[in-house]
Amino acid sequence: MRLPILLIALSATPALAASDAAWDEFRAEVEKTCTALAPTEGETAIEVNPFGSENYGAALLITTLPDGGADRYVCIYDKKAKAAELTAPFTPPQDVQMPAADASGNVAPVETTTTTAHPVKP
């Protein structure tokens, strides 16, 4: 009697893990779709997040510009719609200082610096 109940319960449970081949296919689709959105000027490298989130895939794009600079973008891939959008390029942080450490590895306090941050809208 327990076996039929167990079989019914298991058959009603959705698959919790995708196969390695399915994840490879997902990553290839994100890379292809996001690469198509990359700027045409310069050379772009792409790093696809291996799994994304429940609803979205993500990739980091870094475009090296002819003048030696680089622009960083995030590509957001909608898993249901199978479509992607590219953010505007990030601006580089301003006035960032790395903390100094002495020979023992103690980190000295760093002066406060300011960066331009944009508020996140809910």
Side-chain angles (χ1 to χ4, degrees):
M1 182 70 174
R2 289 185 187 174
L3 184 58
I5 293 172
L6 179 60
L7 290 174
I8 290 171
L10 289 176
S11 67
T13 305
L16 297 177
S19 69
D20 288 342
W23 283 119
D24 289 344
E25 185 178 321
F26 162 73
R27 287 186 283 272
E29 182 63 25
V30 171
E31 183 171 357
K32 175 184 162 195
T33 305
C34 290
T35 298
L37 298 175
T40 56
E41 183 181 9
E43 186 175 327
T44 300
I46 184 168
E47 181 179 350
V48 176
N49 182 276
F51 306 105
S53 68
E54 184 175 341
N55 296 305
Y56 300 97
L60 174 64
L61 283 75
I62 300 174
T63 300
T64 305
L65 302 171
D67 68 2
D71 284 336
R72 300 169 297 143
Y73 304 86
V74 173
C75 179
I76 310 297
Y77 178 84
D78 185 318
K79 291 179 177 180
K80 290 180 185 172
K82 299 199 181 295
E85 294 182 7
L86 194 63
T87 65
F90 283 80
T91 57
Q94 311 254 329
D95 302 326
V96 174
Q97 296 177 350
M98 296 301 291
D102 62 18
S104 301
N106 299 315
V107 177
V110 176
E111 293 180 32
T112 305
T113 60
T114 58
T115 59
T116 304
H118 302 282
V120 176
K121 295 181 181 178

